[in-house]
Amino acid sequence: MEKRNWDAKRLNTMVAAMKAEGTAQLKRLGVAKNRQRFDLMLEMRYVSQHHEISVPWTLGEFSPESIKDVEQAFYQTHEAIYEYAEVKDWEIIDLHLACSECDQANILFPTTIAITGVTTKTVAGEVFNSHGEISVPVYREGDLTKGINGPALIDFVYTTLIVPLGFFCIQEDEGIFALRKEATHESAN
């Protein structure tokens, strides 16, 4: 949706449909209504640009006047990422609604507290930005008390997380794991 085609009603309809689906999934997982959290991101870019940025939207439903707030949020986010923003036409190319449980004491994917020990596994290096076969440490979910540098695997009951070479993994709020490029970072390995 380009700025010149601003349609608050259409945006609200799309968000309501996503929220209804997210609410149903959280209910299925046993998350009480008062612990449900919804975070909306507007995927935006300048018109004709090839790359978009995620712009957090925290001001609730859209109105005809919201166009000014959306524009300001886009320019501020662009400035924060790229250290400049141009006053020119923009567009919303997608919406993302993250639906989660907001109670840290009762998160959807809790990790174990006890460290279970690190093992090693030989795997195809291409997955880890390496060549040939490589040996990587395999951590368990309880091992993530500090960041873990790649290459590594982190095993969970419900999935396995790949940490490529040049990245590290940290646990953020509410049990969410983030991969970040290595810089100055103290890790568990």
Side-chain angles (χ1 to χ4, degrees):
M1 173 184 304
E2 290 187 24
K3 175 183 174 180
R4 62 189 166 95
N5 297 325
W6 178 254
D7 186 345
K9 184 177 179 181
R10 180 173 167 222
L11 289 170
N12 287 331
T13 300
M14 292 167 62
V15 172
M18 289 188 297
K19 190 172 182 181
E21 184 177 337
T23 299
Q25 292 297 323
L26 290 171
K27 182 178 179 182
R28 185 181 62 77
L29 290 168
V31 178
K33 193 168 189 126
N34 66 341
R35 291 203 322 256
Q36 295 177 3
R37 174 178 168 169
F38 302 93
D39 297 307
L40 181 62
M41 294 292 230
L42 310 175
E43 298 300 320
M44 299 181 69
R45 65 184 182 192
Y46 290 111
V47 173
S48 300
Q49 187 177 23
H50 293 287
H51 302 286
E52 66 276 355
I53 61 173
S54 298
V55 178
W57 182 255
T58 60
L59 300 179
E61 285 197 4
F62 297 98
S63 69
E65 296 76 30
S66 295
I67 189 170
K68 293 176 186 173
D69 293 324
V70 168
E71 182 169 72
Q72 186 65 29
F74 173 65
Y75 292 151
Q76 286 175 345
T77 303
H78 198 281
E79 175 81 27
I81 295 170
Y82 299 110
E83 297 185 1
Y84 79 95
E86 300 177 72
V87 178
K88 59 186 212 180
D89 287 343
W90 47 264
E91 62 186 339
I92 300 171
I93 63 165
D94 204 356
L95 303 174
H96 289 202
L97 184 68
C99 308
S100 60
E101 185 173 12
C102 63
D103 183 2
Q104 180 64 29
N106 191 12
I107 59 177
L108 288 175
F109 303 114
T111 58
T112 59
I113 296 170
I115 295 177
T116 58
V118 178
T119 60
T120 303
K121 184 170 188 166
T122 301
V123 297
E126 288 78 14
V127 175
F128 296 91
N129 296 331
S130 297
H131 298 288
E133 289 187 342
I134 61 171
S135 292
V136 296
V138 180
Y139 296 90
R140 304 294 180 258
E141 56 190 73
D143 298 333
L144 204 58
T145 57
K146 292 184 178 182
I148 293 177
N149 287 339
L153 293 171
I154 306 172
D155 267 346
F156 297 87
V157 173
Y158 53 90
T159 192
T160 299
L161 181 63
I162 295 172
V163 184
L165 182 65
F167 287 79
F168 66 93
C169 181
I170 58 171
Q171 184 173 359
E172 295 186 336
D173 294 339
E174 300 181 7
I176 295 172
F177 294 88
L179 287 177
R180 303 227 195 278
K181 283 192 172 187
E182 285 183 353
T184 54
H185 171 71
E186 290 185 29
S187 67
N189 58 338

